[in-house]
Amino acid sequence: MPYSKRRWLLALVGLFMYLGDICTDTALVFRYFHEKRYVWSGLTALFIITGLTVNQIFSYAWFLEDMHKNVMDSKPKRRFLVLHIFGMGILLRYVRALMSCIQDLQAANLNFISAAEMDSSTVDAADLSMLKLFETFLESAPQLLLQLYIRQSHDEWSVLQYMSMVFSFFNLAWSLVDYQIWLRKSLPQSRELPSGLPTVVYLLYKLFTITSLILSYSLLLFLSIYSTVGFTSLWLLGTIWAHLLQTDFCNSGVLELLYRGVIGAILVFTFFNAKGQNTKREMTVYYFFWTAINFSTPLLMFFLKPELKTITFFWVVSGVIYGGSLLGLISLVSYYRFLHPKQCELDQVDGQEKEKTPLTKRTRAFIKP
């Protein structure tokens, strides 16, 4: 079965965290605007709008693709378009996922569920998990960085700010694990990620590495606002790398360019396999520079901002950066050395077709993220 009662409950949790993340960030937009902090209000709103817009584009394009391939009914085409125009694409997919879950459970109780229904449910779930991943790195991660910068540089804090950061953090954690699980469920040549220790270690690897890097970025912003130029350069490098790999994820050339831009945004915060091939060398290079950034940033702050030596918050953040970096590297090595599910066959590049598989190119894009 593609779903179970446990998956239904976890989908509800994912929906709750998504809504909590969007709602708390939206509330911050109005709060900053009311306090006449127009720059903060505008930046917070920009991240929300960027994540929503990109997700609506991909979500609706994938619905059209499924309709064209007769994977789903084409009658609600206009209704779907209206919902996506108003930014309801992910909510629509959550509703469809929960309804599909209920139908699957009912069919299972009658000992009847068709292969087509299983395939459709798996593809829908994989699409939703990938859209949530896009939303995480276009909205949640940048939002977390922005609120940390405001907290550090302006000593501004409120309960709403902390709620926003907490929801962003847990939304980030959930989307990473959910994506990894459903990706492996949807790929016929990949073994599923075992529950228990492998899932926990994978989550710790991602959380420790991403959190320590975001904290380092926040210190660099505190050191100089022109650090944003460096972040933009990192995004451009990631986008160019995805372009050089000649990813073949979308059926449209315009969507493919947008997709490569999203990959660039993800690479600003974490490593991501954009071609579904062996990337041991690329990952090693990535985490070499990641280590250099994390271990040099607190030292730069220590020597260039000596007044911070008396601030407890600086020492706490520095300790979290160093501790998180070390634990992240240990978790990374442990996962890929001992716990990573072995491939049943050679990695399949995303543009290649596999006979008699119901999966589209987008669900075969990544094999070992």
Side-chain angles (χ1 to χ4, degrees), residues 151-200:
R151 170 66 182 85
Q152 292 175 0
S153 61
H154 298 276
D155 199 23
E156 295 277 346
W157 71 275
S158 66
V159 174
L160 188 57
Q161 271 183 312
Y162 284 122
M163 288 179 63
S164 172
M165 288 190 287
V166 167
F167 271 111
S168 293
F169 180 81
F170 282 104
N171 195 41
L172 176 69
W174 169 252
S175 66
L176 288 168
V177 174
D178 190 59
Y179 171 80
Q180 180 77 344
I181 291 173
W182 276 106
L183 172 74
R184 293 192 166 277
K185 277 183 179 291
S186 66
L187 291 171
Q189 71 271 30
S190 295
R191 294 179 182 176
E192 293 184 16
L193 181 67
S195 59
L197 185 60
T199 301
V200 172

Side-chain angles (χ1 to χ4, degrees), residues 142-246:
Q143 205 70 259
L144 184 58
L145 176 59
L146 174 63
Q147 302 311 319
L148 280 170
Y149 166 72
I150 294 172
R151 170 66 182 85
Q152 292 175 0
S153 61
H154 298 276
D155 199 23
E156 295 277 346
W157 71 275
S158 66
V159 174
L160 188 57
Q161 271 183 312
Y162 284 122
M163 288 179 63
S164 172
M165 288 190 287
V166 167
F167 271 111
S168 293
F169 180 81
F170 282 104
N171 195 41
L172 176 69
W174 169 252
S175 66
L176 288 168
V177 174
D178 190 59
Y179 171 80
Q180 180 77 344
I181 291 173
W182 276 106
L183 172 74
R184 293 192 166 277
K185 277 183 179 291
S186 66
L187 291 171
Q189 71 271 30
S190 295
R191 294 179 182 176
E192 293 184 16
L193 181 67
S195 59
L197 185 60
T199 301
V200 172
V201 174
Y202 178 83
L203 175 62
L204 292 177
Y205 143 55
K206 284 295 185 180
L207 287 184
F208 283 134
T209 55
I210 294 173
T211 302
S212 57
L213 188 60
I214 289 177
L215 288 173
S216 294
Y217 286 164
S218 69
L219 289 182
L220 290 173
L221 282 174
F222 182 72
L223 183 64
S224 173
I225 194 64
Y226 293 106
S227 298
T228 52
V229 177
F231 302 155
T232 305
S233 299
L234 290 176
W235 170 73
L236 285 173
L237 286 173
T239 303
I240 292 171
W241 181 62
H243 181 75
L244 292 175
L245 288 175
Q246 290 298 301

Side-chain angles (χ1 to χ4, degrees), residues 47-76:
F47 292 137
I48 297 174
I49 294 171
T50 301
L52 279 176
T53 302
V54 172
N55 264 344
Q56 306 318 302
I57 293 172
F58 278 109
S59 179
Y60 187 67
W62 294 349
F63 271 133
L64 291 181
E65 181 182 322
D66 291 340
M67 292 175 187
H68 178 71
K69 294 182 178 181
N70 295 321
V71 177
M72 60 176 290
D73 188 5
S74 61
K75 291 181 180 179

Side-chain angles (χ1 to χ4, degrees), residues 119-130:
D119 294 337
S120 178
S121 297
T122 303
V123 170
D124 286 345
D127 286 350
L128 178 58
S129 68
M130 182 164 283

